[in-house]
Structure formats: structure tokens, C-alpha cells
């Protein structure tokens, strides 16, 4: 049987959750929203909203042991075939994978450049990053091809021999590199400043934008709204306690985001740099800092970007899996054929995404003030992911037999825990997401 072991599932789901979202995005949005207070709001969003939706996807997947569309139909009270529309979620994963692979390509580039001269000023680092994304078409295509090829190679081997195995190797290595970097950060005087920055909340910094950013990040970091967790859970044997496993994944994911934040802020503060560098924090601010640390700086730079690639690869393979399972299970397609079709899709879209940021192609590959790369990001994280999460919660709250859910949950946890979760997904989560949704669209 192509099933995860219990630990295999936890590693694979944690591998999916821990990615660029934790090591690249979390530190820079924490910096943008002023540190401690944002971290606190983010933690609340993870516990009350992210974890609830995670459990929602997990319970549907594990109970139905099927692809997204079949799982919705099977779990619904009415068994209505129209629930197959839930299969729309697979598209989001493929679109995210398209630009995620491009970003992973940039990181490959940074691993290589870490062996040579590092930029010594922010201007030089900004210029190097700008040149990479706006001028270096051939290089970006090569890197994107390497990443896409790696992802395709891994998923072709299936759940057990591909996804479970790669996570079994890369996740412990990622853990080791991060522990090494954390130990180094601990030796720096600025570690205590980083701690203070992340854990002393200044509530004057909290506004609507910060709340919504925290909520959006909670979804992205836990890989929700793409059908990934649902699909992975469909390969989780029914007897495994999915609640405990889900909580473990959320803990690992959150711990790694916090550790990445502490490492990056220690480095930044040690060099007297600002925490507000935005998306360029990792690609522009860090290399300048590393350049001041001599040989050690090069070693740390290589280790840091390798950690990012490892984290990203284990997330990337999880984005394509919902589509593969959908095609193989619903259309009896071979895994190889499904991989070729989905692989071709994200490969081509990735090339469109990277071209859309280059001087030559930007004008033709932009619309309404956004290039194709930004559109792919916007459509997935601002529209498709929240929409999928609402559909999932409303589905469970209103179209699934409550007794069935109660039975499944109380085999593992108390009645009280079940009731809390049920009320969260039935009321709080959909309302919170609708607010996020409308705000991102600029309606409120
Ligand atoms: N959770 C990943 C990260 O934090 O980088 C991103 C992600 C993975 C999003 C898988 C969606 C997904 F299906």
C-alpha cells in the first residue's frame, strides 16, 4: 500500500508546512509589522484558525482516503456528486508551485554565489538581486529547470519511495543546519535583542493590516487551502491519531518560523541593520552581513541558502501531490502521465512568471499594474486559498453529519476538544476568512 507511516506523515506534512514561508516570509513580515505584537497575533492565528483548518482538511482526507473531489462527495451527508467542484483546489497548488520553483531557483543561484565574493554594500546587493530577476533570463531558466526536474523526479516515485523518503532525509538535515545557525546566533551579543524584538509586544503596532497579514501567513505556512493536507492525510492509515499528528506539525512549523526569525534578527541587529528590509531581507540584507564575516560568512551563507532549498523542496513536492492524486484516482491515469501533465503546466507557468519580471518581457506579461509573477501570487494567496478554506469549513460545518465527525474526533480526543473545534470551523473561521478576503480585495 502506498501509505505514509505515522512518523512519515508527520515529517511529510511538516516538510510541506516548513518552507520559504517560514524562513523567508515570516521574518520579513514580522519585521514589517514591528516584531513582538505581530508574533503574538500570528501565534493566536495559528492556534485558533490555522490549526482548525488543518484539522478540517486532515479529517476529510483521512476518513475518505481519496482524492479531494471524491473525498468531499464521500464525506458529505447527501453524497451529492456536485461536491466534485472542490477539485478546483488542485489548481492553486500548481500555480503556487510555478513561482515557488522560480524563487527556489534564485536560492540555488545564491548558494553558488556564496562561494565567490559577497556584496559589501546594500546597494551592491540590491543591484545583484535586481540583475538576477530582471536581466538574467537564461540563468533563471536553468535554475527553474533544475528545481522543476528535482520535484518531478521525487514525485514520480510516489508517496512512500518519493515524498516520504525525501522528507526523511531533508527534514533532519534542515533541522541540523538550523540548530547550527541558532547556536551561532546564540553566541552573538545581539541574540538578546532579537529575543526582545520578537517577544516584547508593542500593541500600538497592531492594526487591521497586521491582523490580516498574520491570518494569511497562518494559512500559507500550514499549506492550507490547496488540498495538500487533505491529500497527504488520505495516505494516513485510519488508525493513526490525526489530531495528535496535526498538532505536532503545527508545533514544528511554528518552532521553525520562530527559530528562523531569531537567527535572522540576531544577524541583522549584530550588523546594525534594520529589520524592515521587506522581501529583500534574505536576498539583500543578509549577504551584506555575511560579507563582513570573512570565511565564516561564506560558510554560513551557503548553509543558510541550502537550508532554504531543503525547506522549499519538501514544500514544492507537496503542492503537486493533490493534482497527481486527483488525476490518478479519478481518471485512472498513470502516475507518470499525471506527473508529465502537471509538471509541464507548472514548468511553463514558472517560465512565464520569471519572464514577467525581466525588462524585455515585463510589458507584455503584465496586466492591471501587476506582472504575471505577482498575479500568480495574488490569485492563489488572496483568492484561491481563502476561498478553499471557507469551502472546507462551511462544508464540514453545514453539509456533513455532525455525529460522524464527533465519532471520528472522540476516538482520539475529548468531547470538549471536538466541540471547540466544531464551533471554530462552523463560525469563527469562515467569518475571519471572509474579512481577510474582502480586505485583500480592497472591498473593506
Ligand atoms: N507552507 C509552505 C511554506 O510555508 O513555504 C508553502 C506551501 C506549501 C503552500 C504547500 C501551499 C502548499 F500546498
Amino acid at each position: 500500500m502506498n501509505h505514509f507511516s505515522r512518523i512519515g506523515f508527520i515529517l511529510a506534512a511538516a516538510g510541506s508546512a516548513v518552507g520559504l514561508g517560514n524562513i523567508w516570509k515570516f521574518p520579513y513580515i514580522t519585521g514589517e509589522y514591528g516584531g513582538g505584537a505581530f508574533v503574538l497575533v500570528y501565534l493566536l492565528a495559528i492556534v485558533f484558525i490555522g490549526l482548525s483548518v488543518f484539522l478540517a482538511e486532515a479529517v476529510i482526507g483521512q476518513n475518505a482516503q481519496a482524492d479531494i473531489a471524491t473525498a468531499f462527495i464521500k464525506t458529505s451527508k447527501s453524497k451529492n456528486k456536485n461536491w466534485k467542484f472542490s477539485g478546483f483546489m488542485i489548481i492553486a497548488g500548481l500555480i503556487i508551485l510555478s513561482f515557488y520553483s522560480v524563487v527556489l531557483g534564485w536560492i540555488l543561484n545564491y548558494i553558488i554565489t556564496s562561494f565567490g565574493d559577497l556584496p559589501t554594500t546594500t546597494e551592491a546587493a540590491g543591484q545583484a538581486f535586481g540583475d538576477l530577476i530582471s536581466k538574467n533570463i537564461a540563468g533563471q531558466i536553468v535554475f527553474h529547470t533544475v528545481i522543476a526536474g528535482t520535484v518531478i523526479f521525487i514525485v514520480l516515485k510516489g508517496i512512500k519511495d518519493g515524498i516520504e523518503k525525501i522528507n526523511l532525509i531533508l527534514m533532519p538535515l534542515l533541522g541540523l543546519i538550523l540548530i547550527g545557525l541558532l547556536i551561532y546566533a546564540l553566541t552573538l551579543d545581539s541574540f538578546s535583542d532579537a529575543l526582545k524584538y520578537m517577544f516584547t509586544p508593542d500593541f500600538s503596532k497592531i492594526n487591521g493590516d497586521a491582523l490580516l497579514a498574520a491570518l494569511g501567513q497562518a494559512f500559507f505556512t500550514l499549506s492550507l487551502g490547496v488540498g495538500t493536507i487533505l491529500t497527504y492525510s488520505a495516505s494516513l492509515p485510519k488508525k493513526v491519531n490525526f489530531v495528535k499528528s496535526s498538532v505536532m506539525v503545527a508545533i514544528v512549523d511554528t518552532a521553525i518560523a520562530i527559530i528562523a526569525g531569531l537567527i535572522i534578527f540576531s544577524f541583522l541587529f549584530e550588523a546594525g541593520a534594520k529589520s524592515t528590509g521587506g522581501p529583500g531581507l534574505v536576498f539583500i540584507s543578509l549577504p551584506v552581513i555575511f560579507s563582513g564575516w570573512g570565511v565564516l560568512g561564506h560558510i554560513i551563507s551557503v548553509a543558510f541558502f541550502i537550508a532554504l532549498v531543503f525547506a522549499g523542496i519538501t514544500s514544492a513536492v507537496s503542492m503537486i501531490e493533490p493534482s497527481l492524486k486527483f488525476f490518478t484516482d479519478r481518471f485512472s491515469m498513470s502516475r507518470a502521465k499525471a506527473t508529465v501533465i502537471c509538471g509541464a503546466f507548472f514548468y511553463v507557468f514558472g517560465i512565464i512568471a520569471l519572464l514577467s519580471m525581466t525588462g524585455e518581457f515585463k510589458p507584455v506579461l503584465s496586466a492591471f499594474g501587476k506582472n504575471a509573477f505577482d498575479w500568480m501570487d495574488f490569485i492563489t494567496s488572496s483568492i484561491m486559498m481563502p476561498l478553499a478554506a471557507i469551502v472546507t469549513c462551511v462544508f464540514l460545518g453545514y453539509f456533513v453529519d455532525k455525529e460522524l465527525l464527533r465519532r471520528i474526533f472522540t476516538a482520539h480526543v475529548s468531547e470538549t476538544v471536538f466541540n471547540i473545534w466544531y464551533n471554530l470551523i462552523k463560525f469563527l473561521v469562515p467569518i475571519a476568512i471572509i474579512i481577510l478576503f474582502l480586505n485583500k480585495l480592497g472591498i473593506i
Side-chain angles (χ1 to χ4, degrees):
M1 275 289 265
N2 210 357
H3 265 85
F4 283 121
S5 62
R6 189 183 77 93
I7 185 73
F9 170 80
I10 294 176
L11 273 179
S16 169
V18 175
L20 303 182
N22 303 59
I23 307 179
W24 166 59
K25 209 166 173 195
F26 173 72
Y28 90 70
I29 51 176
T30 299
E32 282 181 336
Y33 290 107
F38 178 82
V39 173
L40 188 68
V41 175
Y42 169 78
L43 293 177
L44 293 174
I46 290 280
V47 174
F48 290 104
I49 298 179
L51 187 55
S52 305
V53 180
F54 196 109
L55 286 169
E57 287 201 24
V59 74
I60 300 173
Q62 192 194 27
N63 182 52
Q65 302 273 309
D67 66 277
I68 301 179
T70 312
F72 268 74
I73 297 168
K74 240 169 129 175
T75 314
S76 68
K77 250 187 290 206
S78 60
K79 313 284 178 230
N80 189 328
K81 294 262 186 302
N82 288 334
W83 280 110
K84 68 172 181 272
F85 90 89
S86 59
F88 81 91
M89 293 182 204
I90 63 167
I91 299 166
L94 290 180
I95 299 177
I96 297 174
L97 183 50
S98 311
F99 66 83
Y100 207 85
S101 171
V102 173
V103 178
L104 279 170
W106 299 343
I107 297 166
L108 283 188
N109 173 79
Y110 272 75
I111 295 177
I112 296 169
T113 55
S114 298
F115 286 97
D117 287 341
L118 292 167
T120 51
T121 62
T122 308
E123 291 70 42
Q127 175 91 34
F129 182 58
D131 283 352
L132 170 68
I133 64 173
S134 66
K135 294 193 184 133
N136 191 349
I137 296 180
Q140 286 195 84
I141 291 183
V142 170
F143 291 127
H144 169 55
T145 307
V146 172
I147 296 289
T150 309
V151 169
I152 289 171
F153 177 77
I154 296 166
V155 295
L156 262 180
K157 292 182 176 288
I159 286 272
K160 194 94 197 152
D161 295 331
I163 293 179
E164 179 162 342
K165 222 175 230 163
I166 196 74
N167 277 289
L168 215 57
I169 301 168
L170 294 189
M171 288 304 281
L173 286 176
L174 169 67
L176 280 180
I177 297 178
L178 287 177
I179 289 172
L181 291 171
L182 180 67
I183 291 174
Y184 181 68
L186 269 165
T187 66
L188 302 174
D189 291 340
S190 53
F191 186 79
S192 56
D193 298 332
L195 262 182
K196 224 182 282 153
Y197 182 71
M198 287 187 71
F199 294 107
T200 317
D202 169 2
F203 288 104
S204 68
K205 299 259 172 65
I206 289 298
N207 55 18
D209 280 358
L211 296 180
L212 296 164
L215 191 58
Q217 174 65 5
F219 280 128
F220 188 78
T221 193
L222 289 176
S223 309
L224 302 172
V226 182
T228 285
I229 299 307
L230 191 158
T231 303
Y232 272 10
S233 305
S235 294
L236 181 64
K238 275 196 162 183
K239 59 181 188 310
V240 176
N241 183 339
F242 73 98
V243 182
K244 221 161 117 188
S245 306
S246 303
V247 171
M248 284 282 289
V249 173
I251 291 176
V252 171
D253 184 71
T254 307
I256 293 195
I258 300 282
I259 289 172
L262 287 172
I263 293 169
I264 290 173
F265 291 125
S266 302
F267 289 179
L268 289 170
F269 296 155
E270 190 69 14
K274 286 209 194 70
S275 56
T276 49
L281 201 60
V282 158
F283 294 113
I284 298 170
S285 310
L286 283 187
V288 180
I289 295 169
F290 295 148
S291 78
W293 291 350
V295 178
L296 186 65
H298 288 270
I299 296 171
I300 291 182
S301 187
V302 171
F304 177 79
F305 287 112
I306 286 182
L308 262 178
V309 167
F310 284 0
I313 286 284
T314 52
S315 298
V317 294
S318 78
M319 294 171 194
I320 192 172
E321 188 56 29
S323 321
L324 300 184
K325 192 163 176 66
F326 182 78
F327 287 123
T328 52
D329 289 15
R330 273 192 88 78
F331 299 102
S332 312
M333 207 182 263
S334 71
R335 192 165 174 97
K337 190 168 170 192
T339 308
V340 169
I341 293 173
C342 300
F345 178 95
F346 88 79
Y347 182 68
V348 171
F349 269 68
I351 292 191
I352 295 173
L354 73 85
L355 288 179
S356 79
M357 281 180 297
T358 60
E360 275 160 276
F361 292 94
K362 193 175 186 154
V364 274
L365 292 173
S366 297
F368 303 106
K370 271 197 210 319
N371 60 39
F373 185 104
D374 292 339
W375 270 116
M376 291 181 199
D377 183 16
F378 176 78
I379 287 175
T380 49
S381 56
S382 299
I383 300 180
M384 298 180 85
M385 289 171 106
L387 198 65
I390 293 182
V391 168
T392 308
C393 291
V394 168
F395 171 71
L396 284 175
Y398 302 89
F399 296 93
V400 172
D401 179 15
K402 184 173 177 184
E403 285 319 304
L404 170 74
L405 295 172
R406 188 196 306 278
R407 237 181 302 123
I408 300 173
F409 267 82
T410 51
H412 305 298
V413 291
S414 70
E415 185 92 12
T416 317
V417 172
F418 167 72
N419 283 327
I420 294 174
W421 169 79
Y422 192 73
N423 285 303
L424 283 172
I425 58 117
K426 191 163 178 160
F427 305 111
L428 181 99
V429 179
I431 293 170
I433 301 171
I434 287 170
I435 294 173
L436 166 79
F437 199 43
L438 295 180
N439 180 280
K440 281 254 184 131
L441 292 177
I443 296 169
I444 55 169

